[in-house]
Amino acid sequence: MVAVGVQAGSASAQQDRTIGASAVQLSATQRASALQDAQNGASATAAKIGLGAQEKLVVRDVIKDANGTVHTRYERTYAGLPVLGGDLVVHQTTNGTHSITKATNARISVPSTSAALAPAAAKQSALGAAAAKKNAKADASAAPRKVIWAATGKPVLAYETVVTGVQKDGTPSELHVVTDATTGKKLFQNEAIETGTGTSTYSGKVPLTTTKSGSTYQLTDGARGGHKTYDLKQKTSGKGTLYTDANDVWGGGRQTAGVDAHYGAAVTWDFYKNTFGRNGIRNDGKGAYSRVHYGDSYVNAFWDDGCFCMTYGDGEANSHPLTSLDVAAHEMSHGVTSATAGLEYSGESGGLNEATSDIFGTSAEFYAKNASDPGDYLIGEKIDINGDGTPLRYMDKPSKDGASADYWSSNVGDKDVHYSSGVANHFFYLLSEGSGAKVIGGVSYNSPTYDGSKVTGIGRDKAEKIWYKALTTYMTSTTNYKAARTATLKAAGDLYGTTSAEYKAVGAAWTGLNVK
């Protein structure tokens, strides 16, 4: 969660793509074996792709396609130090050729790994950054760690300091600050707690998977990795109390928020598994957990990789828990992004990160087919956060919210990530449904293009698969919009062929957004 920059790709050979190259679902045992095999061969791979003697590869993920191509995602170290922005994916085909997708093409090398700047100075710089954000209870008790900063420009020796605390709205803070270990200049900062606002409209009567323990039932989903749902009882730390019930008929009072959170987690799990073959957020078969009734009148919800959990506030006056399906799917998708491309939550990569959650949150809403909350291309349409019944965000024309970007421009990365995400949200809508005016599911849309071109949609199902494959196999921590175009074209080529209507539609949609 500590790198941002411009992605560059390199290849030692043209990848051999076979149409229909979707991922093969691996069991937990098969995946663990694939990860271990890849790590055992990491040294040979590092030499094969031309890394320096002081560089080593650490395996993060392995994806095997139906055509035999293997995509192995790595983090990188240099002289034992983590390289932030050094992640890469090696794509190995059955005929022995390979290509590489890198977060940076810069040669990883520094004159020395001895720092001129003392760790204490880096700590003070990080605390200053937290103070500038007006975070409360700022604490940097963990010592700054020495790293190589490679996400932008020439790699340099740096410190990464993590400052915990509380943001102005009551959200926990985990601020990562990168400081040049020679000059003391702050190079980058990133808030690792990813927040979002959801709807307080519940999902009606829904099925729940629970577990019986003695004479009571618990909100523990044994069918989905053991996902548990807890009541924090207005506290802001710890897990809280696991929900229990005597007769397995849930709802009413404090249980209602727990029911919606548990249901949202189950739908999100099923959406990823049944659509993409993904077995849980980390694809390891293990469930996260949910915490509801967080804090006092906390009007937000957030995903935290540290606890691997979703947390929901109760809204204004603790009267409207933000525990609906759309917020669950959106926030848990941040966990999927973290476990795959690791798109940093800043600049253009941050916009792509946020858009990925909107894209899959929307897709999960369509997947659920819940009559109380039917699928649409409106984000937060039931929140009424604006007080006039309008949605939080629009995918067909993002600028209708008054702040989001419809199209790419050179300064789009300067926007808040919830607004720079508009370009990718617009791409997904155009790719799914096409440009122009239409009515879908009773909702009217009218999607324009930058150059006035007409884009013909390929359907949401195909658009979802293209975005997911691009995210999991071709995007890295530093992917920007230009690189996202390349990644989605590669994904479409893998799945449908480079002469297909789907491939051409991907290119047309990006061109219609001024991403060329």
Side-chain angles (χ1 to χ4, degrees):
M1 307 297 289
V2 287
V4 61
V6 178
Q7 180 190 31
S10 65
S12 60
Q14 177 64 37
Q15 186 180 358
D16 176 26
R17 297 189 182 91
T18 300
I19 297 174
S22 55
V24 175
Q25 186 171 350
L26 301 178
S27 67
T29 300
Q30 289 172 326
R31 182 172 183 273
S33 177
L35 289 170
Q36 187 59 57
D37 288 347
Q39 192 60 62
N40 290 341
S43 295
T45 300
K48 183 177 180 179
I49 65 176
L51 299 190
Q54 297 196 74
E55 297 178 78
K56 295 186 184 302
L57 294 173
V58 180
V59 178
R60 279 189 57 201
D61 198 11
V62 176
I63 294 174
K64 296 186 176 182
D65 286 348
N67 66 356
T69 300
V70 178
H71 311 271
T72 307
R73 188 178 294 274
Y74 297 94
E75 298 290 350
R76 202 177 343 179
T77 65
Y78 175 87
L81 301 178
V83 180
L84 307 185
D87 50 302
L88 56 88
V89 186
V90 176
H91 316 282
Q92 185 80 34
T93 66
T94 54
N95 65 9
T97 62
H98 72 271
S99 63
I100 312 167
T101 303
K102 293 181 177 179
T104 178
N105 265 352
R107 178 173 174 267
I108 307 301
S109 178
V110 295
S112 172
T113 56
S114 296
L117 186 74
K123 179 177 177 179
Q124 286 305 119
S125 174
L127 288 168
K133 289 189 63 182
K134 301 190 183 323
N135 286 355
K137 301 180 182 178
D139 178 68
S141 55
R145 68 168 182 165
K146 201 183 295 184
V147 299
I148 305 297
W149 173 252
T152 53
K154 183 179 179 181
V156 297
L157 185 69
Y159 286 108
E160 180 199 11
T161 308
V162 179
V163 183
T164 59
V166 180
Q167 298 178 54
K168 287 185 292 184
D169 68 349
T171 304
S173 175
E174 185 181 307
L175 187 67
H176 292 245
V177 182
V178 180
T179 308
D180 191 307
T182 301
T183 66
K185 178 183 177 182
K186 186 182 76 173
L187 300 171
F188 180 75
Q189 71 180 52
N190 179 49
E191 177 57 66
I193 303 298
E194 295 163 343
T195 59
T197 304
T199 174
S200 59
T201 301
Y202 304 111
S203 301
K205 184 175 287 187
V206 295
L208 297 176
T209 302
T210 60
T211 299
K212 190 173 184 180
S213 178
S215 60
T216 63
Y217 294 86
Q218 302 174 341
L219 283 187
T220 300
D221 192 336
R224 298 173 180 86
H227 184 104
K228 297 177 184 292
T229 303
Y230 297 87
D231 182 354
L232 269 173
K233 299 180 178 179
Q234 271 54 67
K235 295 180 181 179
T236 57
S237 62
K239 279 188 175 180
T241 302
L242 181 64
Y243 274 101
T244 60
D245 187 82
N247 60 7
D248 210 22
V249 178
W250 303 80
R254 300 187 68 84
Q255 277 193 0
T256 302
V259 169
D260 275 9
H262 205 66
Y263 167 72
V267 170
T268 303
W269 178 289
D270 290 350
F271 162 70
Y272 277 104
K273 186 168 187 178
N274 295 331
T275 306
F276 308 121
R278 187 172 190 85
N279 193 22
I281 289 173
R282 289 180 179 150
N283 202 24
D284 59 1
K286 298 178 182 178
Y289 65 88
S290 297
R291 306 184 301 175
V292 300
H293 299 306
Y294 173 90
D296 183 17
S297 298
Y298 178 64
V299 191
N300 220 325
F302 59 90
W303 170 264
D304 184 354
D305 270 338
C307 64
F308 196 57
C309 70
M310 255 307 301
T311 303
Y312 304 84
D314 280 338
E316 291 287 351
N318 294 321
S319 60
H320 298 288
L322 284 77
T323 49
S324 68
L325 169 61
D326 58 352
V327 70
H330 174 105
E331 295 301 337
M332 290 183 185
S333 291
H334 280 308
V336 173
T337 297
S338 177
T340 55
L343 290 161
E344 289 310 330
Y345 209 57
S346 179
E348 290 190 24
S349 63
L352 286 162
N353 186 320
E354 188 64 25
T356 295
S357 285
D358 279 351
I359 287 167
F360 291 138
T362 292
S363 297
E365 187 179 73
F366 274 107
Y367 170 86
K369 294 181 174 62
N370 187 306
S372 298
D373 187 12
D376 52 51
Y377 293 97
L378 307 174
I379 310 300
E381 68 279 2
K382 295 185 178 180
I383 301 172
D384 194 22
I385 197 169
N386 300 318
D388 58 4
T390 58
L392 181 62
R393 289 190 289 277
Y394 304 77
M395 299 186 90
D396 64 321
K397 188 179 181 183
S399 63
K400 285 196 289 187
D401 67 9
S404 289
D406 286 336
Y407 313 116
W408 182 86
S409 66
S410 59
N411 62 357
V412 74
D414 296 333
K415 289 180 174 287
D416 179 278
V417 296
H418 295 86
Y419 303 139
S420 62
S421 63
V423 182
N425 279 342
H426 198 180
F427 166 78
F428 182 74
Y429 177 87
L430 282 174
L431 186 62
S432 298
E433 305 293 349
S435 57
K438 52 181 61 70
V439 177
I440 304 168
V443 179
S444 296
Y445 303 96
N446 194 352
S447 192
T449 57
Y450 179 81
D451 56 1
S453 60
K454 181 181 179 180
V455 175
T456 301
I458 61 173
R460 191 182 60 258
D461 290 347
K462 290 180 178 179
E464 290 169 2
K465 290 178 173 60
I466 289 170
W467 192 267
Y468 180 79
K469 185 166 184 64
L471 176 77
T472 55
T473 59
Y474 294 116
M475 292 187 187
T476 69
S477 63
T478 64
T479 295
N480 62 3
Y481 275 115
K482 183 177 180 180
R485 176 187 172 109
T486 299
T488 50
L489 282 169
K490 286 181 177 179
D494 286 351
L495 294 169
Y496 305 108
T498 56
T499 61
S500 66
E502 292 82 0
Y503 184 91
K504 293 173 184 176
V506 169
W510 282 124
T511 299
L513 301 173
N514 198 33
V515 181
K516 303 174 182 177

